[in-house]
Amino acid sequence: MLTPNRERAVALLHKHNQNPSLRSHALAVEAALRHIARQWGEDEHYWAEVGLLHDVDYELHPEEHLVHAPDMLREGGYDEQFIHAVLSHGWTLCTDVKPENKMEIALFAVDELCGLITAAAYMRPSKSVMDLEVSSVKKKFKDKKFAAGVNRQVILNGCEMLEITLDELIALAIAGMRENAAAIGL
């Protein structure tokens, strides 16, 4: 198994993803998971690396998302545990791989949540997460027409599996995204 190595992960992400929006999303999920891991006393480097590479195959294979990811990750030297973690974020959406631990469940929920947070930030005059509040994201969460592609049930299911509130998960994700706001573009 590779040890967490951000430069190697970024190179693999960039090899398979040229789209700036997809890269920004990967950075957002990476930042959120890094922050959550740190808060929970987990391996922040490992969690962040999984977050960074969770959509490694999406640009090349959007209709077959997560079908090609295992081969891409194996070629990058990632082990089956890492691959399972990546596959688990598609549970009920495009895979039958259920999240089995806190990191996988957090990824499952945060992937969708980062999309909502990003959309909410873009609606602000500042176009930034730096002044985005949990209450603003919750208001957008309730509006099913806003960021309609975000699967809110996945976020809620993730919160339930993690035994935390939606407010807590939103706060954690925003805090993580703030730590890397410039790179994310927010």
Side-chain angles (χ1 to χ4, degrees):
M1 175 175 111
L2 291 177
T3 57
N5 182 314
R6 189 173 189 283
E7 293 76 26
R8 188 178 305 148
V10 168
L12 185 61
L13 175 71
H14 287 191
K15 177 180 177 182
H16 298 293
N17 290 272
Q18 304 304 310
N19 182 307
S21 294
L22 292 176
R23 288 181 177 184
S24 289
H25 173 69
L27 293 171
V29 175
E30 172 197 30
L33 284 180
R34 179 183 307 282
H35 179 79
I36 293 168
R38 190 178 318 121
Q39 295 302 306
W40 293 352
E42 301 290 342
D43 183 345
E44 68 181 88
H45 302 293
Y46 186 78
W47 284 42
E49 197 166 346
V50 171
L52 188 62
L53 291 174
H54 79 282
D55 281 342
V56 69
D57 72 347
Y58 190 79
E59 183 173 331
L60 297 175
H61 307 284
E63 300 302 319
E64 296 179 313
H65 181 38
L66 298 177
V67 171
H68 302 274
D71 289 337
M72 292 173 170
L73 293 168
R74 283 185 196 106
E75 288 172 19
Y78 292 92
D79 66 11
E80 295 307 310
Q81 179 183 352
F82 191 98
I83 292 167
H84 184 278
V86 167
L87 294 177
S88 73
H89 91 275
W91 183 53
T92 70
L93 303 171
C94 58
T95 74
D96 60 357
V97 179
K98 184 176 181 178
E100 296 178 348
N101 58 49
K102 286 195 307 188
M103 186 267 297
E104 292 176 353
I105 298 166
L107 172 62
F108 174 68
V110 165
D111 177 34
E112 293 290 320
L113 182 55
C114 284
L116 183 69
I117 291 169
T118 297
Y122 283 144
M123 296 302 296
R124 301 186 67 71
S126 66
K127 306 237 184 289
S128 174
V129 293
M130 300 309 287
D131 60 353
L132 184 63
E133 298 298 326
V134 170
S135 59
S136 297
V137 176
K138 281 214 43 190
K139 184 176 179 181
K140 298 297 187 186
F141 184 93
K142 292 175 185 176
D143 179 358
K144 305 297 185 214
K145 292 179 184 174
F146 180 80
V150 171
N151 189 323
R152 287 148 170 84
Q153 192 58 52
V154 165
I155 299 168
L156 293 172
N157 291 346
C159 287
E160 184 178 329
M161 293 166 74
L162 291 167
E163 299 179 351
I164 64 173
T165 67
L166 178 60
D167 286 22
E168 290 171 313
L169 188 62
I170 292 170
L172 287 165
I174 290 173
M177 291 172 70
R178 283 179 179 164
E179 291 174 7
N180 205 21
I184 296 168
L186 296 174

